[in-house]
Amino acid sequence: MDNRQAIGSWLSGPRAAAEEMGADFGHRGKRLGLPEHGPGSVAPLGRRFGAVFIDWALCLLIAYGLFARGDQQAAGNWALGIFLVLSVLTVGTIGCTPGKRVLGLRVVSENGGRLAFGRVIVRSVLLCLVIPALVWDRDGRGLHDRLARAVQVRI
């Protein structure tokens, strides 16, 4: 192996180096038994971020209009609490938040069924902490989804 190849694999990361050596990781969601494309496949990151943005904007609007009385700092604090309640209630009952529904996404358990209410609470609290949502596995699931044994899929 020449130095350029070694440097290239170092810059590309461990996944690229493993794939170069013959490892087959498959598509996102393959380990979970999910299809590669279409309904039931792992939701793309862009749609998931878009759904969180829609949900956060809705929560800010509710907080600003009902609780903050014009105080932007208070609106941000109230919005986080509203986001937690919105996430627990909507994911716990219908499996998706308003933003996820608009963008055609749903949260399900790893086996494809409805997510148990206790797991919905764990997932929602971790999502509000933000950092667990930014740590992903090779299936594209955030740590909050992994710990709750959940996966976000296309409808």
Side-chain angles (χ1 to χ4, degrees):
M1 175 185 284
D2 69 26
N3 287 339
R4 289 177 297 180
Q5 193 175 22
I7 290 172
S9 68
W10 176 76
L11 290 174
S12 302
R15 181 180 178 130
E19 286 174 342
E20 192 173 297
M21 293 185 329
D24 179 25
F25 292 109
H27 63 274
R28 289 183 315 135
K30 182 177 181 179
R31 293 182 313 150
L32 301 169
L34 301 175
E36 185 172 2
H37 301 290
S41 64
V42 173
L45 294 175
R47 279 193 192 181
R48 289 171 25 199
F49 282 126
V52 168
F53 178 78
I54 291 169
D55 293 334
W56 184 251
L58 178 64
C59 292
L60 270 175
L61 184 65
I62 292 169
Y64 193 77
L66 296 179
F67 300 107
R69 301 178 192 217
D71 182 4
Q72 290 181 351
Q73 176 66 36
N77 294 336
W78 277 105
L80 186 60
I82 294 169
F83 185 83
L84 177 65
V85 170
L86 176 82
S87 181
V88 168
L89 291 179
T90 57
V91 172
T93 56
I94 61 172
C96 57
T97 62
K100 287 183 189 342
R101 183 68 177 180
V102 166
L103 296 178
L105 306 177
R106 187 167 187 192
V107 179
V108 296
S109 68
E110 288 176 337
N111 63 10
R114 193 167 156 203
L115 196 60
F117 197 70
R119 291 186 181 165
V120 170
I121 292 172
V122 168
R123 181 187 182 278
S124 299
V125 168
L126 290 172
L127 182 60
C128 286
L129 294 176
V130 178
I131 299 299
L134 299 176
V135 178
W136 301 324
D137 65 5
R138 72 180 188 203
D139 290 318
R141 293 188 308 160
L143 188 58
H144 66 297
D145 280 332
R146 246 189 107 118
L147 292 174
R149 291 193 231 154
V151 61
Q152 295 181 56
V153 297
R154 294 178 181 166
I155 297 176

